[in-house]
Structures are given as C-alpha cells and as structure tokens.
Amino acid sequence: MSKMADYEGPILEIDRLSISFFTRLREIPAVMDFSVRVMPGEAVGLVGESGCGKSTVALGVMQDLGKNGKVVGGSIKFKGRDLSEMSEEELRDVRGNEIAMIYQEPMASLNPAMKIGKQLMEVPMIHEGVSKEEAYSRALEVVTDVRLPDPERMLNSYPHQLSGGQQQRIVIAMALMSKPALLILDEPTTALDVTVEAAVVELVKDLGKKYGTSMLFISHNLGLVLETCDRLCVMYSGEAVERGSIEDVFDDMQHPYTQALFRSIPLPGADKNARPLVAIPGNFPLPHERPPGCNFGPRCDYFEEGRCDAQDIPMVNVHGFERHSTRCLKSEEIDWNAPITVGEQKEKAPIGEVVLKMDNLKKYYEVAANALFGGGETKVVKANETLSFEAHESETLAIVGESGCGKSTFAKVLMGLETATEGKILLDGGEIQDTAIQARDTKTVADVQMVFQNPFDTLNPSMTVGRQIMRALEIFGIGENEAGRRKRMLELLDLVKLPRAFADRMPRQLSGGQKQRVGIARAFAGGARIVVADEPVSALDVSVQAAVTDLLMEIQREEKTTLLFISHDLSIVRYLSDRVMVMYLGHVVEMGTTDQVFSPPYHPYTEALLSAVPIADTSVEKEHIVLEGDIPSAMNPPPGCPFQTRCRWKSEVPGGLCEKEVPPVRMLEGEHQVKCHLADDILARMTPVIKIAAE
Amino acid sequence: MEPLTWTGSFGSIIDPVFQLVGLLFIVAVAAQFIGAYVFAPINDEVHVDGTITRDRGANAIIGTAVRSLLLALCALAAIYIVAGVFAPIGKVGIIGAVAKQFAPVWIALVATFLLSISYKRRLGLYGKLFDSTVGMIGYALLMFWVYTALFVGVFDMIAVNDPLTQLSGMKNKLPGTPLRSVEEGQYAYYLLGGDNLARDVFSRMVHGSVVVILIAPLATLFAFMVGITLGLPAGYLGGKLDTFLSFLANLVLAFPVILLFYLLVTPEIVATGIPNYMAMILFVFPIIFFAVLLNSRFYTRPHLRNPLLAGVMLVMIWTYLCAISAEGTVINILPPTLDLFDIDSGILVVFVSVVFVNSPTVFRIVRGLVLDIHTRDYVAAAQTRGEGKWYIMLWEMLPNARGPLIVDFCLRIGYTTILLGTLGFFGLGLESESPNWGNTINDGRKLLAIYPHPALVPALSLLSLVLGLNLLADGLREESLRD
C-alpha cells in the first residue's frame, strides 16, 4: 500500500471542529469550534490542563472516538482529504502509515508477549508489504536512529526487559517505521524521569528534523512545548483560546488564560519575591456546566459583565502579528505588560530549633534470589546510604531526585513503616529509628505525617471527606466526642480553604486539587510538626499547583511546621524551599541552602538535573547537558561513585578514582556539602546552567 | 370435567395471531442477520444544532421491524397473563390458570419496578441497574422467584395442592388434567400434571423454589464471610499465613466436588459428626468478622464500642449456639429451653458442603483484590496514622473491593443454585420426597421419554433462576463500569 500522493499545503487542517460525547444523561461537548493547521515539517504544541479536550482532538484526528464520541461539526482534513469521508479501509491505511500516535504510557503501546523486533517489523510488513529481511533492516535502522545501545539485542528482547525510557524510544521508533507525515505525541514524557525526559525530547526534536515529520505535541508542560515546537495552541475548557508562534504567545500573550497560566508556574531563574506565583482563582468548569460567553470569564481578572458573558466569543486575529489569534474580546484593551500586582507578602516565620536529625541513616533490603523456596543467595538493595541531615522548625527541606533514588524509602523509615538498618533518627532528641509505627505513641505518630502524591489515590473513595478527617482526629485522640471532632474537622476544612459543605461529599465529587487539600487537612489533623510531602503537586494541573503550594506554605507559616518536600521538579523546589538535598541511588550527592545548590559549583548530577528541567521562558538560556543512559538499578549499583556511569566530568578525575571509591562528603563554603571526587579548581570552573538573557 | 387445554377458549382467537407474529419475528431476525452483510451499515449524522439523524437504509428498516415485532410478542404474552388473571379458570387454559395463581407475584413485581424506576437516580448502583435492559430482565427473573418463594413459604399462597400428597388416578397425568373427585375447597386440576407418584408438579415446583431461595443466598453469604475473613489477612499480611491459607484453598479446590459431597453425606461420616464439626467451624466466621469489624472501627470510642459489641455478640453467639446445637447429634450443648431452632440435618449437610466448596474461590478473589488495593495511597495514609491492621483491611480496603465482590456474589448464587440442584439430583442431603428442584428432576428423569413434564417443569425453573442471576450480574458489572 502506498502513501497518499504528495500534497502541497497543510498536512493537517482542523477547521471549526466540535466533538461531543454522549452519555445516558446528556451530550457533553468536549471540543468546540477548534481550528488548527499543521504545515509540513512544523511542530505544533497543544497545551492545556487536564479535561480541556486536547487528547480528544488527537483521538478525533485518529478517528477513534469510541462509540460515545461523535464529531458534531467541522472537519479534519489530512493532506487535503476529509478524514470523516474515508472508509474504514482507507482509515486503517492512514493510521500507522501516514499518522502515527505516541501515547503517555509506553508499556501500554507495546505488546508484552511479542519481541520488540517483531513488533517493529510488523509495521512496514502490514502497510507496505515489504519482505521480512527488508523490514528487519529498516527496524535496525530506526532503532539506531532513536539512539538505543546495542540495537540488535534490543530487537531481540521483550518490552519488559527495557527501562521506561528505552520503551518510550521503541514506541517512537515504531511510530517512525512507516515514515509518517504526521506524528501525534500525547504527553509522551509525562511518565518518565526528568533527565530521561530531556533525552527523549531532544530525540523527538532531532528526528522531526531528520525525517521532516510534522508533529502535534500534546502536553500540559509549557516548558516542554517551548523546547520542542514552532507553534502553539492553548486550550481551555474545550476551546482554543490562543494560537500563534512560540515567540508570539510566550512573549506577547493576548489571552488572560495564557497569562494566568504563565503566572502560576514557577520559573527556576526567577526570584520568588520579584515574581510570586499567582494562582488562578476558582475551578475548571465541568463540561456541562460551562458559563455563557467566555469559558474563562468567571476566573478572569479582566471579566466585564454584560460583555464577556453576552455571546459566544469568536477567535480573532491579533493586529500586528502573523497567524496569531486569540479568543478574547478585550485583547486590545488589556495592558499585557502591566506588572503583576503583588498581593500582601507575608513574612516567613524564622527558622527555629532542630526538630529532626538524621544521623548516618542506612536502610538495606535483603532480596532473596529465589522467592518461592527462600534458598539461593540473597541480594542486598542499598536503598539509603549514610543519610545525615538536620531539619529545623518552620524550615522547608526539599529532597530532590528521580525515581529509585531512595526518597520514598527514606520517607517510610521516617514514618515508621520500616525500621532503619543502621544509624539514628532523632525526633526532639529521642531515637525513633527502631520503633515501628504500631509501637510509637500517639503524639509521635501525629507529629510526623505525610501528604501523598496522587490526589486520586490519597482519599478512600468509599468514605465521605468529613469522616476521613474525623477518623484521623479519633486516632490522634483529639476532641472529647463526635460533636467536638466534627467541629475541629470543619475548622480543618477552613484551614485548607475548602467550603464546609464538602464534609459530606464523597471524594469522587471533588477535583484533584480539592482532594489534595483534604489530604493536607488530614495530615494536619493531629497538629503535625513534621510533614513529609511526597510530590504533593506533581499530579495536579499547573493552575492548581500554585494554589496548593501556597496553601502548604501558608499553613507552614502559621503552624511552624517542618516541611520535607520531596520532588523532582526543581522549579517548584527553588520557589519554596530553604534548603535542598539532592539524592541519587540512595546517596545524598549534594546538600545546601537553595542558593548554594542552584548556583555553581554543582555536583555533576545536580547540574544535569537543572539542565533537564524544561523552562517556560524564552529569555532563559540553558546549558545543554543530556545524560546518557538510564538510572542504574539499585539492585546492582555501579562500583565507586553511584553517578559515574552517566557523569560527564568523570574524565577530569585522575586515576579512575570514580570507579573505585565512593567519594567522601566534602564541605564547601557554608554548610554546602558535595559528594564528589572533582578537585576544587574544577568545581570552581563550573558555570551557571541557567542564564537569563539580558532584556 | 374436561381437561384444560393450554390456552383455553381465549386462545382460539389469540393463538393464531401469536403464531403469526412469532413467525414474522423469526423471519425478521434472520433478515437482520443476513442484511448486516448485504446492505450498507446504519449511519448517524449529527447536525450543528445538536440533533442527530439516522439514515433510512434497509438495515434500519429491518431493525425497526425486529424491535416492533418483539414488542408485539411481549404485549401478546402480557395479554395472556392479564386475561388469565382476570378470566375465570379454564377460559385461558393452563397458562391462564397458572398466571392467576401467580397473581400476587405479578403485583409485587410491578410495584417493585414502578418504585425502583421512579427513584432510580437516587438509588446508587441498584438504581443504575434499571438503565440496563439485560440487568432489568435478570432482576425481574430473580425477583419472580424470590416473590414466589416468599408467598409460598410465608403466606402459603400460589401452590394449589400439598406438594407431598398423592391423589389416586393422577399418576403421570398430563398438564391440565382434572382431579378424579374434587372435595370441598380443593383445586380441581393438576395444572402442570402429576408425577410418577401422583403428586402435583406445579405445587412441587413452587415449593421447591422456597428451598433454593432460602439456602442459595444464605450459603453464598456464609461462603463470602469465610472467604473475606481469611482472604483479607492473607492478601494484606502475606508471608507464611498467605502461603498456608492459599495452599489450603488449593487443596480444597483440587478435591473433586461431587466426591466430597458423597463423602460428606455418607451415613457413616454423618454419624461421626464431621458435618456438625464443620458447621461449628464455618459458622464461627461471621462472628469473628463482625467482632473485628466493629472493634477496629470503634475501639477509640469505648463508650460506644462496649455496649454495641456486647449486644451484637450476644445475639450472634446465641444464634450460633442454636444453629450448631441440635438434639440427637454430636454437638448438643444448649439446654432445650434456650435452643430456639434446630437445623434439619439434611439441610445442614447441604449447607455446609456448599459453603465449604465455595469459600476457597471467594478467598482467592478477595486475596487478589487486596493485593491490588494494597498499593493505594489511602492505605499508606492509614498506615502512617497508625491504624490497626484490621481497620485497614475491613474499613479501608473491603469497601473499595465491593464492586467485583457484588458481581461475584450474584454469579455465585447462580452456581450455588446449580450445586443445590446437582446435590438433589444425586439424592444427597435432602430427603427423597423433598420438592426441591434437583430431586424432582431426578425423579422425573426415569420416565423422561414418555412423560417429560415432571422433569421439564423444575428444570426450566432452575434455568430461569440461574439465567436471571447471571443476567443480573452482567447488568451490574456493566453499569458499575460505566460513568
């Protein structure tokens, strides 16, 4: 089967597309009046929060809306042909052959029972009917192109034998097998770690250039879109609200939502006092409860009654720009360069006494090689290696690292779900490292609490919100009776700024951000003094992230809480933390105040992490560091320095010391400590990774 | 007296219509099947204003025809029933007379459906059931037998003769045969014929439903109690306990079920008291379950916990002692003045065997669900606030495993019903003259070639009940997955 004839003009042209889903109760419009054009070789980003309809657009292009979904208006033209007029056979030809799609979860796109090579070879064999040999050589070529080591071994392995990053590269390779004209990437890196994400993004960018493929890049991350795309389309609640080139939209935004979105994300280059986060007030409207007129109206600072909610707002071109349009009636009246009105700045509570002290904490797991009969040799997984630090009252200590670095194990040991192998944890001077949670007294348990990552998992779905908070109060022995606890529960809801009516709601009736607030209220039920926040905002939408972050900091100010903030997002870490601890494979590789960690000299891993974070600011210049390979398994760590397999500075250390010895902890100026063999003069030579270009 | 025909004088008008509609329906279904290959598929077109037009191809016309013919068939069937209920006996024949006997069931069914449908948005998962046709059909079939058992067992309605009385001259008589000599107050016909011992097939059938509806859900409930109480710790705590319990479950599952039953009901084995000891063990589980359930939830509030737990435990333990203790068996611990009821030894054996073979399967399902839910953050949250193990298992995990468990419960009642039939068929447990469906099918089997009706009637009843339960489970599964 051959490709469609070459076509001059846009590869993909979506014109006033409307898509609805039909449930038993009502029609739910998911996408309304959406238009976008993708020219040959162009990469267009589709940005928006979850539920804004960006994935629905992608499914619409694939004509795969399920039996509930229907295109109710407009057209999708691919190379000039309307996809809705194609027959099933023609569509099958187009999918995979002309349009390829890459999904968020790589494992879900690969057949676990089939070898990689066979899966790749299928694509040209089905679509083009080429011979087995040719298909194999093509597969080999593509796998080499996606920069996987040892391509022949890769082709001969099953998906589960590869790491997440390698799997996603294979998915990309599969999508490129048929040299499609259009590649749709639906959050392709969300499930990956930052350093791996950076490598995959770079790969996608290069391949796009090499193959001349047009791309539709769907993401919630503005920074990623900035790095990958030429043009950008911002969506809100089913509509495109602003469309234009990356530079136009980032630097001369013309829609209040775009502006609000930018103001709600922290930029690692910016100072938190000069540029505070501004959360978007209110909540994302449900698809069947959209307001009349402008969908963003109720949350917009520039809302004008009787005008913005009077009629449907059309998409209009912005004067003075080429191909830049916005869905705002007031775009020409608003002064887009007006400075952010900074709200009342509250003084941070002074940092107090040491509350928590970790001394040489180690946590090893023994894994039996043969689980069934318990025989064979046992392997030791060193999840935490000599962890030492102090945390003070009212301090935010950020723990940064990618998956497998041991931060969750550390949290477990601190909470008492596991006991330490060696070393000490001192809470107010008392040792708690060997006391499991059942053996701890109520006060200790109530003092150390946790806020969890996944808002959809953190609350028990079959209990009302109020009941769950009251249960925590009950366990912590707060309140004389039911009435007393109910009163306290309502106060806690006030504390996290939720309406009191939510007490009787079920968790499914709450949005992600609201659930996370309930989780915070529950953690503070017993007056917690140390709160471990395990990526509390990473699963939330950007506009909600700012609000939840602010809430956490505000509670911290009032309650003088010690916050251990576990995250991989360096932007937010820089925004809220006092001190930062960077972990890699169970080791603390760098620790110091935020300013010390974010400026040179860096540990080589910190340097790479900083470089990997996508930053949504066109004025920021980053040094480009891409780490090779994946994080080694904690079961089988490399000898010597844990980071030596991926370190770009390794050659600067004489005598192969990195491969032989674990580096000692070195004290630099202040309390800044680094675990690295690099000599002082080399550390001093390091330059800042993030530079802000002079305006 | 004349024997009744199937539809009586009423049928002479309506039967031809029914046959014609039925024939047309079969033709239409065949046409639909072929048409799907021959004609163009149906397309829905959505307009800008939100309306949808469906095109009028050949397939659309055939589809409409099938639907309306099916509706017509249902309407005709309803006419038979309504006419039967209101016309005098004999006017609408056997069908009419049977429909008349079931009159209280119809009324109860209609009332249930009217109430449920009008409040369906407020009834949670039960209400959603009424959005699914399959679920509604299943529910109707199930409730038909539940109401039948209720009216027969409690109010002694519906059945026309005693299920055990033999009347002379009625041996192997066909449906609709009148009695030889009708006494005062006696029903004049054997509506669905007589069996080989001259007993009324219709009455035995409706009486049989009582046995099934009583034992099947209760036995399933007990199996769930055992399975949940053991499956939760096995999945949550893991380790040696899990290995041991899983091995035990595999052992029970690996043993041939029928052989196990034969062993359990052998008089020698019964004499040793093994079924009684098994009952003693199996019936403890609900007590453990509720004791742990209440204690783990309310231990922080002793003022509430103490009276609550004491009250519940008193009632449960007394019931337990009444249930296991019976005169003449190995376990006779309760003095007769306190022993409120005795369980018939045959029923006890059946009950115990059914619970015993069902609980390992439930155990495995619960264990699997727990392993899945174990990784959720809300479980970790409960752990980090120092909750007890049993609170986490029973209050944090179990409610969130309810969806699959409810579906399995419905399916399992179906299996249990079949199991009861099988047991009866082999004459295990219940006395041979008991009207339960398994026994009657076995009785009727001997003369199946000449007189099929004594076996066919209970067989169809069993089929409809199990079908109903399976459809209900399907409907529940589908509806719980939607939205």
Side-chain angles (χ1 to χ4, degrees), chain A residues 24 457 460 462 467 471 474, chain B residues 131 297 300 378 400 479:
Chain A
R24 62 181 119 189
D457 237 22
N460 186 337
S462 33
R467 190 74 350 262
R471 177 67 191 179
E474 237 174 84
Chain B
D131 284 332
R297 174 79 177 78
T300 49
Y378 54 84
N400 296 307
E479 291 307 312

Side-chain angles (χ1 to χ4, degrees), chain A residues 93-285:
Chain A
D93 260 5
V94 169
R95 294 181 194 138
N97 191 19
E98 298 259 19
I99 307 177
M101 188 151 174
I102 295 170
Y103 295 89
Q104 179 172 351
E105 197 55 60
M107 202 51 204
S109 313
L110 295 170
N111 183 344
M114 224 167 152
K115 285 188 176 166
I116 299 280
K118 210 168 162 209
Q119 297 189 43
L120 288 177
M121 281 155 65
E122 256 188 4
V123 180
M125 280 163 75
I126 289 174
H127 283 299
E128 291 161 49
V130 302
S131 71
K132 232 176 162 171
E133 289 71 34
E134 166 150 22
Y136 184 80
S137 65
R138 289 255 297 265
L140 205 61
E141 188 192 320
V142 180
V143 173
T144 320
D145 271 351
V146 293
R147 292 183 217 137
L148 280 171
D150 201 356
E152 294 194 22
R153 187 178 59 86
M154 286 288 160
L155 288 183
N156 206 24
S157 40
Y158 286 98
H160 68 265
Q161 296 171 310
L162 310 182
S163 70
Q166 288 174 334
Q167 283 172 4
Q168 195 62 295
R169 280 165 196 258
I170 291 291
V171 174
I172 293 170
M174 200 183 323
L176 292 173
M177 273 307 277
S178 54
K179 304 202 168 53
L182 176 68
L183 193 59
I184 302 175
L185 300 108
D186 190 356
E187 307 257 4
T189 56
T190 310
L192 305 176
D193 273 316
V194 219
T195 54
V196 181
E197 169 181 86
V200 170
V201 164
E202 158 132 332
L203 173 79
V204 167
K205 226 162 53 179
D206 289 354
L207 290 177
K209 285 204 186 80
K210 179 176 171 187
Y211 287 85
T213 316
S214 307
M215 282 193 275
L216 193 61
F217 193 96
I218 298 170
S219 181
H220 67 276
N221 189 329
L222 284 165
L224 265 186
V225 170
L226 168 67
E227 289 188 6
T228 44
C229 299
D230 311 311
R231 294 175 54 74
L232 168 68
C233 176
V234 182
M235 286 186 79
Y236 181 78
S237 192
E239 290 175 332
V241 292
E242 185 164 2
R243 205 167 50 215
S245 71
I246 291 282
E247 291 76 27
D248 290 350
V249 177
F250 273 66
D251 299 337
D252 293 294
M253 55 198 75
Q254 295 291 329
H255 194 279
Y257 174 66
T258 321
Q259 188 187 42
L261 205 57
F262 276 100
R263 287 183 175 176
S264 64
I265 50 176
L267 298 177
D271 181 37
K272 62 178 152 190
N273 295 320
R275 192 184 170 287
L277 290 194
V278 184
I280 306 179
N283 277 313
F284 205 76

